[in-house]
């Protein structure tokens, strides 16, 4: 830091002179160095309009003057500047400098020396410890102290760990605190446990149980901790979170009751226990004086040499611990240190401080801050002071509270309300970075969320850097340290917190906290903008609704997964109007809203140009966009040719009153083959930047509503988590509050939007899934099979029907999926009855698989809950899963038990095509459908909707039921379906559960959720994921979060995945003469692993023969090898390609995978039993690297980049040949994760290629019915099938397989089977395309998207059968009436469809007749004319 006091020397006592003598600009510059009032720096920051009072600039000057006396006492003048040198070293996240924490006495003066070694999680104790030791060395006659400290994270570094071992070996006293990271806790135990007996004292404050057990002060120990039913053992149990009083709270309570307890202990024991408790109080006190007392007390009572030299001398009586109250309000310039009541604080603050600071106490907004007490104890509070002074200099009031424990809900309830119970704050910022209740140890999220909902104000959780210095974070592409992301980003999100902005760093040498000036400014601006939303009258608020267009084309405006965008906008506009927002003359129909945005009335009819709302001159653009020149490296000078008319940048959209509906520009490099190849993504283009500049500086939006899943803002380049001021998402959104509608089944990308673009998400329901049903030939087959069942025994008719079944099956192309007898030569008359049953069984199993496939019908409109009929479809799927953790059996299991069968056996025989089992399975499915329908029917009104759910398990009906012996309606339904033995009591649990789920499905808060955010309120959190696996996702309209990353893979996921791996390997060995594959290429997705709690992650570990192990807190962060004899098969090598989203959310799991795979490679085992080792040894030799480096198998994009861009290339047609797509995949996905250097992703394309060369099988998972392989481009974007073929020495194409765990009957299919199943249930299925077409404009686009994605599979894997294109052509193109409908509803999307067919043919993926191609070419010309308006 640097001092600039000289500016103030001559004006020390007369602040008003500042104005006169140095002018406003210079004053502002001086203030900046004090961490206050940089709002006028370069005139770039415009404070929110509603807070600008005429004396605001004065309030900045006045505030600065009030903070002036603190110059000397705190490090306020240390504003961190941008470091140019990074001190990273070896790719670690944390550079080590424990030497800066070593203090050696300068002059021993013959005193005995006591050596102390301490390990802490965070660095605020460093300066207090150092000061305390120096005081003893200077002032004590009895002892001198040598002391050295380590930050927990530093122990990952080998040199630091070695030094730590040496230090502990000759120490007298060891002190540890908050050691909550499993693998590091083990390291500490490994070093301290062996020497525990020779240490004079070992003192450990709240940490993992195994570290707590090291405690030893005289006879005081904690050796039984965590073994028996102790506090710790209990709070490890996730489910028992009712109380949320964590270990630390328990100890604080103990401290208060201590004197009473000590009476009952034998005196020597009591003295030792008392020493521990006193030590803890001193430690919590944290100031140098307290820590000095701690060391003197322990030294004279327990340390050998000191005790000896003290014989006959008088002991020093240590001071009582100086403790601040457990909870209070703190303010840096208050006369008393803290205020224990709200009234006392405001008495001083509003009467004395505000007038002096130029703050208008009556009208000013108030920001509530939550602080960590240890920073106040240790006087390490510069970062807090900086934010408080920034807020006050903007004319805002501040209330800062802290708590002694880790539960902040008490102080929130106590200090954030006035005497009458009204909230006194407008926004809350938690500056500790921890979860509100329970901090890093054990959390009570539901308590936290309900406390915040009661307060009902926006809740931001900002993060101080703990494990990295400012420079390390600045230099890291990944941004925030993964352990910190897990503790301080993921956990607060589950409380409902938003905006993880990093606002403070650590100074390397002193360990003190330093404010990051630009981040503190951003935090102050954003919190006031959120506060503004509850203060400003609705009629004056400007709201910007942002819609997307993927791929960029007029036919695609308003794209969002599963959402009917314009219909939903209509609903939102209606709601805004009802709440008093000014929506001007906004049209009231979906079509008119759409046309107003799509058509420029000035231009000729049907022009390709959208409506232009604003033209921004390049001068205005450069003036208002501070980072504009940085974009020139990628895009040249503005305006460029994207979103520009040659002179100006154009903003597309339309304004109605105070509401602007705008179209977000695209990435800009979709059609440019060169840019698609870049390993790292390019910056946004000028048009993109101009759009956000317009929203913030010209339209002056009070909030932005991003409409649907998903745009490009959150995927712009920058750090992964913990944005800096140069990351593009941060620059673009800047100070705008953002609400983001996200599909409830996509928590992973929603999480990226929350972290990278500071958006509060509002979940929306995906359309209800229904059974795909059968049509045309498939339907005919089902009817034929039904008649065969009746006439099996009839020697004349039976065989004839089998012949028809065989020929119809050939017509339907089922020969690709099952072994059909040859059509020309087969006659069922000459076959045995068993053989005929076998054929019919196989066909039946195949068509039932198509019929029961789930398919989302139509598109969702915000605020419209599903109808009763749609609810049935969802509930049937919920009912089929067993939920052992809730002791609920799935409905099919109970029904099967009624006929004495196990459902798993029925599934297995059904998949094998055993006719009797296929029939029974179909009967069970029907019975469960009828039962669910009966349940829903009880609550359905005359409009076919469920208004309120009747409580069907009420006492009365049960009582009458017993008297009359009447069965419940659903039991009756099952009996009628042919299961008279059904056990009514055994189905009660699942039916009760379904009743609860029905309430959740029809509850609807989507419009409510959007409005809560726009009105500046707290939106309740909810998990995201698949509502069928996890009904807690419902009701929608809440702020969505992912899961605690340390919780996966769960034990259940590990069990399920072992089953899938067995099926997979059986299938592969069977097709390969009993030989196992040597290497499998795997793709891992973020959302899938959230929905399945880490199943696909666990599959990779299972293949390698490694098992994840949970620590005592139930967090998964270790792996162990399964011995070969237990495994019973070779270890299979894997190449894991992680999506960019997976990398962002689960970096700790990538660490787990990498460690597990390397463990297998290093195992000394025969090569024919360990393919990981076999390949790694070959690679090590070929590439001349160590075995460990050669065993890198976990790859992804570079940090801040996403996807292989293969999808973009295919969607936009701008690719030359498949080689280009493969090259893109290899360069963009070739960054290796290495657990030995976790701070970075390294470009390792050669290693990636050499690992892929040995692959025999490529594998992906499908985990939910909503997103299948042709619904989105992601699946083929990351599919390495043809890439591997090109790399293999024999050029053989690997087998491609897909695991399908969408139903209780998990299966492994080949990729081509999956593509056919998908095409038959979606693209070629009238139920699907008619459902889509009923939504009009959007529907045509959805159909085209499926066709384009099907061609994507041809390009990356070559697994699409010709008949798929052929049949699609006859459905959409040959049928003149259909052709007309598509053309009228969305000509642009229809043109894309025609292009896709022509492209599929041109690239050799579809062979068809000349006339089909000619028809398509004529159509193309016709559509072009229509679009051009000729």
């Amino acid at each position: 830091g640097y001092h600039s006091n000289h500016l103030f020397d001559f004006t020390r006592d007369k602040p008003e002179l500042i104005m006169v003598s140095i002018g406003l600009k210079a004053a502002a510059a001086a203030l900046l160095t004090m961490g206050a009032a940089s709002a006028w720096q370069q005139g770039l920051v415009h404070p929110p309009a509603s807070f600008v009072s005429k004396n605001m600039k004065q309030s900045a000057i006045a505030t600065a003057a009030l903070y002036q006396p603190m110059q000397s006492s705190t490090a306020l003048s240390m504003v961190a500047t941008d470091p140019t040198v990074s001190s990273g070293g070896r790719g670690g996240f944390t550079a080590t400098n424990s030497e800066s924490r070593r203090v050696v006495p300068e002059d021993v003066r013959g005193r005995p020396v006591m050596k102390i070694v301490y390990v802490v999680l965070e660095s605020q104790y460093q300066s207090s410890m150092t000061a305390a030791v120096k005081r003893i060395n200077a002032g004590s006659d009895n002892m001198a102290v040598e002391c050295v400290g380590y930050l927990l994270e530093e122990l990952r570094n080998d040199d630091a760990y070695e030094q730590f071992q040496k230090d502990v070996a000759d120490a007298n006293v060891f002190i540890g605190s908050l050691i909550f990271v499993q693998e590091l806790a083990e390291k500490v135990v490994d070093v301290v446990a062996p020497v525990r007996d020779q240490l004079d004292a070992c003192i450990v404050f709240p940490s993992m149980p195994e570290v707590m057990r090291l405690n030893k002060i005289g006879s005081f120990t904690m050796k039984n901790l965590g073994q028996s039913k102790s506090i710790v053992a209990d709070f490890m149990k996730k489910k028992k979170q009712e109380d949320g009083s964590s270990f630390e709270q328990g100890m604080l309570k103990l401290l208060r009751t201590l004197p009473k307890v000590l009476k009952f202990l034998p005196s020597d024991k009591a003295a030792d226990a008392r020493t521990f408790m006193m030590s803890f109080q001193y430690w919590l006190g944290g100031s140098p004086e307290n820590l000095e007392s701690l060391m003197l007390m322990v030294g004279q009572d327990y340390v050998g040499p000191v005790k000896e030299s003290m014989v006959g001398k008088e002991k020093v009586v240590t001071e009582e611990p100086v403790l601040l109250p457990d909870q209070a309000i703190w303010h840096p310039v208050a006369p008393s240190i803290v205020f224990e009541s709200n009234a006392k604080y405001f008495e001083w603050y509003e009467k004395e401080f505000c007038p002096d600071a130029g703050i208008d106490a009556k009208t000013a907004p108030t920001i509530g801050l939550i602080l960590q007490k240890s920073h106040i104890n240790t006087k390490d509070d510069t970062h807090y002071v900086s934010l408080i002074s920034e807020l006050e200099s903007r004319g805002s009031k501040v209330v800062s509270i802290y708590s002694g424990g880790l539960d902040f809900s008490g102080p929130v309830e106590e200090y954030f309300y006035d005497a009458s119970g009204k909230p006194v704050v407008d926004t809350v910022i938690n500056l500790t970075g921890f979860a509100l209740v329970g901090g890093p140890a054990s959390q009570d999220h539901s308590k936290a969320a309900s406390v915040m909902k009661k307060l009902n104000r926006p809740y931001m959780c900002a993060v101080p850097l703990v494990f990295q210095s400012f420079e390390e974070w600045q230099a890291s592409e990944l941004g925030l340290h993964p352990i910190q992301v897990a503790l301080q980003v993921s956990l607060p999100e589950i409380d409902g917190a938003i905006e993880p902005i990093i606002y403070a760093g650590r100074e390397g040498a002193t360990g003190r906290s330093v404010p990051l000036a630009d981040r503190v400014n951003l935090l102050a601006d954003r919190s006031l903008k959120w506060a503004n939303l509850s203060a400003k009258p609705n009629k004056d608020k400007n709201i910007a609704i942002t819609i997307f267009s993927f791929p960029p084309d007029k036919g695609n405006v308003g794209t969002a997964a599963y959402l009917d965008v314009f219909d939903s906008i209509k609903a939102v506009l209606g709601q805004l109007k009802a709440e008093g927002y000014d929506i001007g003359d906004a049209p009231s129909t979906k079509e008119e809203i759409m046309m107003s945005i799509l058509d420029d009335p000035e231009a000729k009819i049907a022009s390709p140009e959208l409506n232009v709302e604003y033209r921004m001159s390049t001068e205005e653009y450069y003036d208002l966009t501070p980072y504009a020149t940085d974009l020139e490296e990628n895009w040249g000078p503005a305006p460029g040719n994207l979103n520009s008319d040659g002179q100006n940048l154009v903003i597309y959209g339309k304004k109605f009153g105070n509401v602007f509906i705008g179209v977000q520009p695209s990435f800009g490099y979709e059609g440019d083959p060169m840019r698609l190849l870049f390993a790292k993504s390019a910056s946004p283009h000028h048009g993109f930047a101009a759009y956000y500049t317009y929203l913030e500086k010209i339209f002056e939006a009070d909030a932005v509503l991003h409409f649907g899943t998903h745009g490009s803002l959150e995927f712009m380049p920058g750090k992964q988590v913990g944005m800096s001021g140069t990351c593009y998402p941060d620059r673009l959104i800047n100070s705008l509050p953002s609400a983001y509608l996200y599909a409830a089944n996509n928590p992973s990308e929603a999480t990226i939007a929350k972290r990278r673009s500071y958006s509060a998400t509002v979940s929306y329901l995906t359309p209800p899934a229904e059974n795909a049903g059968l049509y045309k030939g498939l339907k005919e087959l089902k009817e034929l099979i039904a008649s065969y069942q009746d006439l099996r025994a009839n020697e004349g008719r039976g065989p004839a029907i089998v012949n028809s079944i065989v020929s119809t099956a050939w017509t339907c192309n089922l020969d690709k999926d099952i072994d059909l007898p040859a059509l020309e030569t087969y006659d069922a008359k000459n076959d045995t009855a068993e053989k005929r049953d076998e054929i019919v069984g196989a066909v039946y199993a195949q068509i039932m698989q198509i019929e029961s496939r789930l398919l989302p019908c139509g598109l969702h409109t915000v605020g419209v809950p599903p109808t009763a009929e749609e609810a049935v479809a969802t509930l049937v799927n919920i009912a089929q899963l067993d939920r052992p953790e809730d002791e609920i059996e799935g409905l099919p299991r109970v029904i099967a038990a009624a006929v004495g069968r196990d459902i798993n056996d029925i599934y297995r025989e059904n998949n094998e095509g055993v006719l009797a089992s296929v029939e029974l399975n179909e009967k069970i499915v029907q019975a469960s459908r009828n039962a669910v329908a009966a349940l829903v029917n009880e609550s359905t009104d005359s409009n076919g909707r469920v208004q309120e759910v009747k409580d069907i398990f009420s006492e009365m009906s049960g009582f009458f039921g017993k008297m009359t012996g009447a069965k419940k309606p659903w039991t009756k339904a099952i009996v009628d379906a042919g299961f008279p033995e059904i056990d009514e009591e055994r189905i009660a649990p699942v039916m009760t559960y379904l009743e609860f789920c029905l309430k959740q499905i029809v509850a609807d808060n989507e419009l409510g959720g959007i409005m809560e955010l726009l009105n500046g309120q707290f939106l309740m959190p909810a998990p995201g994921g698949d509502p069928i696996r996890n009904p807690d996702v419902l009701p929608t309209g809440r702020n969505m979060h992912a899961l605690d990353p340390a919780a996966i893979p769960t034990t259940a996921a590990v069990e399920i995945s072992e089953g899938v791996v067995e099926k997979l390997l059986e299938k592969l060995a069977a097709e390969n003469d009993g030989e196992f594959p040597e290497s499998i290429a795997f793709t891992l997705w973020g959302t899938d692993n959230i929905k399945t709690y880490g199943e696909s992650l666990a599959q990779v570990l299972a293949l390698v023969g490694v098992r994840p192990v949970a620590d005592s807190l139930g967090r998964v962060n270790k792996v162990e090898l399964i011995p070969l004899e237990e495994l019973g098969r070779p270890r299979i090598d894997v190449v894991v390609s992680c999506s960019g989203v997976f990398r962002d959310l689960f970096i700790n799991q990538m660490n787990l995978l990498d460690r597990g795979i390397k463990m297998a490679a290093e195992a000394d085992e025969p090569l024919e039993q360990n393919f990981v080792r076999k390949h790694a040894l070959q690679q090590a030799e070929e590439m001349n690297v160590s075995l460990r480096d050669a065993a890198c198998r976990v790859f992804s994009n570079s940090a801040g980049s996403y996807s292989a861009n293969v999808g973009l290339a295919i969607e936009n047609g701008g690719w030359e040949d498949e080689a280009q797509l493969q090259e893109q995949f290899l360069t963009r996905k070739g960054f290796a994760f290495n657990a030995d250097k976790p701070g970075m992703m390294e470009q390792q394309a050669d290693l990636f290629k050499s690992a892929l060369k040995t692959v025999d099988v490529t594998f992906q998972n499908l985990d939910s019915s909503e997103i299948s392989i042709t619904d989105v481009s992601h699946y083929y974007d990351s599919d390495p099938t043809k890439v591997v073929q090109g790399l293999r020495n024999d050029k053989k194409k690997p087998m491609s397989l897909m695991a399908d765990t969408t139903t209780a009957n998990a299966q492994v299919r080949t990729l081509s089977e999956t593509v056919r199943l998908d095409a038959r249930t979606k693209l070629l299925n009238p139920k699907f395309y008619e459902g889509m077409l009923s939504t009009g404009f959007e529907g045509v686009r959805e159909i085209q998207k499926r066709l384009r994605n099907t061609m994507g599979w041809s390009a990356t894997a070559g697994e699409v059968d010709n008949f798929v294109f052929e049949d699609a052509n006859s459905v959409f193109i040959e049928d003149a009436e259909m052709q007309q409908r598509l053309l009228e509803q969305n000509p642009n999307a229809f043109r894309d469809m025609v292009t896709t067919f022509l492209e599929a043919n041109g690239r050799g993926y579809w062979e068809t007749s000349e006339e089909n191609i000619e028809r398509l070419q004529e159509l193309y010309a016709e559509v072009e004319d229509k679009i051009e308006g000729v």
Side-chain angles (χ1 to χ4, degrees), residues 1060-1193:
V1060 172
V1061 165
E1062 292 313 302
K1063 280 188 185 168
L1064 168 69
L1065 292 176
E1066 267 167 37
K1067 182 164 181 137
L1068 291 170
E1071 295 185 14
N1072 194 18
D1073 311 325
E1075 292 288 309
F1076 286 110
E1078 292 201 358
S1079 178
I1080 298 184
F1082 235 86
T1083 311
L1084 291 183
W1085 300 103
T1087 290
D1088 300 15
N1089 278 291
I1090 293 177
K1091 288 182 188 167
T1092 62
Y1093 295 96
E1095 278 174 31
S1096 46
L1097 175 79
Q1099 289 165 0
V1100 179
L1101 294 169
L1103 282 167
V1104 177
V1106 173
R1107 190 177 285 132
V1109 186
D1111 67 17
S1112 48
L1113 288 173
R1115 297 177 304 191
V1116 184
N1117 39 27
K1118 276 203 306 193
V1119 280
E1120 61 184 23
L1121 272 184
I1122 301 171
L1124 281 173
E1125 38 285 12
E1126 189 187 327
L1127 198 59
R1129 60 166 171 83
R1131 299 188 194 283
I1132 314 288
D1133 196 6
V1134 289
V1135 183
V1136 188
S1137 171
C1138 303
S1139 73
V1141 175
F1142 183 89
R1143 175 206 63 217
D1144 282 9
L1145 297 186
F1146 297 122
I1147 195 111
N1148 296 338
Q1149 277 64 23
M1150 288 170 76
N1151 192 342
L1152 218 54
L1153 286 171
D1154 188 60
R1155 290 185 353 230
I1157 293 166
K1158 286 177 174 159
M1159 207 180 260
E1162 288 173 337
D1164 189 3
E1165 294 169 344
L1167 298 186
E1168 70 281 358
Q1169 285 297 306
N1170 184 336
F1171 300 137
V1172 187
R1173 183 173 178 82
K1174 176 179 167 182
H1175 296 156
L1177 285 167
Q1178 290 165 356
Q1179 285 173 288
E1181 196 174 329
E1182 276 169 32
M1183 302 181 68
N1184 199 12
V1185 290
S1186 71
L1187 174 69
R1188 231 181 132 69
D1189 285 347
C1192 269
R1193 294 286 185 273

Side-chain angles (χ1 to χ4, degrees), residues 529-600:
K529 282 268 183 91
W530 275 110
N532 174 38
L533 289 174
S534 54
K536 195 171 183 176
N538 287 352
K539 64 177 175 44
D540 301 332
K541 280 188 217 168
N542 293 335
I543 303 295
I545 295 178
T546 294
I547 58 179
F548 313 119
S549 172
F550 274 130
D553 172 305
K554 193 167 172 176
N556 292 323
V557 171
T559 342
Y562 315 108
L563 193 61
D564 188 330
V565 172
F566 291 107
D567 213 20
S568 300
I569 287 182
K570 181 183 108 178
V572 170
L573 287 172
Q575 187 65 32
L576 286 169
K577 187 174 183 177
E579 298 200 15
Y581 285 77
D582 173 1
I583 64 164
D585 54 356
S588 55
T589 70
K590 164 184 168 175
E591 286 66 31
E592 291 173 283
I593 295 173
M594 189 163 87
M595 293 333 291
S596 66
I597 293 161
L598 291 185
D599 287 330
D600 186 348

Side-chain angles (χ1 to χ4, degrees), residues 99 102 150 158-168:
E99 290 312 304
R102 187 179 294 281
Y150 291 84
D158 298 340
D159 303 344
Y161 183 60
E162 221 169 287
Q163 186 56 52
F164 173 59
Q165 279 175 301
K166 287 188 193 138
D167 278 325
V168 172

Side-chain angles (χ1 to χ4, degrees), residues 150-215:
Y150 291 84
L151 291 187
L152 189 54
E153 273 300 307
E154 292 174 345
L155 300 182
R156 286 185 195 277
N157 178 312
D158 298 340
D159 303 344
Y161 183 60
E162 221 169 287
Q163 186 56 52
F164 173 59
Q165 279 175 301
K166 287 188 193 138
D167 278 325
V168 172
D170 61 0
N172 301 90
V173 179
F174 172 77
I175 299 179
S177 172
L178 290 183
I179 299 174
F180 276 117
V181 180
Q182 178 72 29
E183 60 264 46
L184 299 174
E186 284 166 19
K187 286 188 150 184
V188 170
V189 173
D190 291 346
V191 171
V192 180
V195 297
R196 175 174 178 263
D197 292 343
Q198 73 186 48
L199 286 166
D200 293 311
C202 187
I203 311 175
V204 183
F205 305 118
S207 292
M208 299 288 280
E210 54 268 48
V211 191
M212 294 294 290
R213 286 202 282 275
L214 295 170
N215 262 309

Side-chain angles (χ1 to χ4, degrees), residues 217-238:
I217 299 181
S219 60
F220 170 81
T221 68
M222 291 193 178
K223 54 178 181 297
N224 328 350
L225 189 70
Q227 316 287 47
S228 60
K229 277 268 164 263
S230 68
I231 336 177
V232 182
D234 284 347
F235 85 62
M236 309 308 170
K237 306 272 184 298
K238 268 225 185 103

Side-chain angles (χ1 to χ4, degrees), residues 574-653:
Q575 187 65 32
L576 286 169
K577 187 174 183 177
E579 298 200 15
Y581 285 77
D582 173 1
I583 64 164
D585 54 356
S588 55
T589 70
K590 164 184 168 175
E591 286 66 31
E592 291 173 283
I593 295 173
M594 189 163 87
M595 293 333 291
S596 66
I597 293 161
L598 291 185
D599 287 330
D600 186 348
E602 306 300 300
K604 58 177 195 300
I605 328 159
S607 91
E609 179 88 7
L610 301 173
N611 187 57
V612 174
E613 177 56 48
Y614 188 78
R615 295 183 193 272
M616 188 183 296
S617 70
T618 47
E619 186 187 0
E620 182 175 32
Y621 166 69
Y622 278 110
D623 192 32
L624 294 177
T625 315
Y627 53 92
T629 47
D630 295 358
L631 310 184
E632 294 178 2
E633 174 193 358
N634 276 307
W635 302 99
N641 52 10
L642 294 158
N643 288 63
S644 100
D645 58 11
Q647 272 78 51
N648 308 297
L649 288 153
V650 296
I651 310 298
Y652 292 124

Side-chain angles (χ1 to χ4, degrees), residues 817 853 1262 1268-1270 1298 1309-1324 1349-1351 1353-1354 1357-1361 1363-1365:
D817 302 276
R853 183 90 176 161
L1262 281 182
S1268 189
I1269 62 171
T1270 58
M1298 284 265 172
R1309 302 191 181 93
T1310 65
L1311 177 58
S1312 52
E1313 275 178 89
T1314 313
V1315 172
R1316 287 194 294 273
L1317 183 59
D1318 223 50
R1320 286 177 177 139
T1321 50
K1322 299 244 168 87
L1323 190 61
L1324 306 174
N1349 289 340
T1350 305
M1351 188 183 78
W1353 282 108
S1354 296
E1359 295 286 343
V1360 185
D1361 296 288
F1363 84 83
V1364 173
F1365 290 114

Side-chain angles (χ1 to χ4, degrees), residues 805-822:
I805 289 176
V806 171
S807 72
T808 314
W810 275 95
T811 326
C812 294
N813 297 296
L814 292 181
D815 57 292
K816 308 269 193 300
D817 302 276
I818 48 185
D819 244 348
L820 285 177

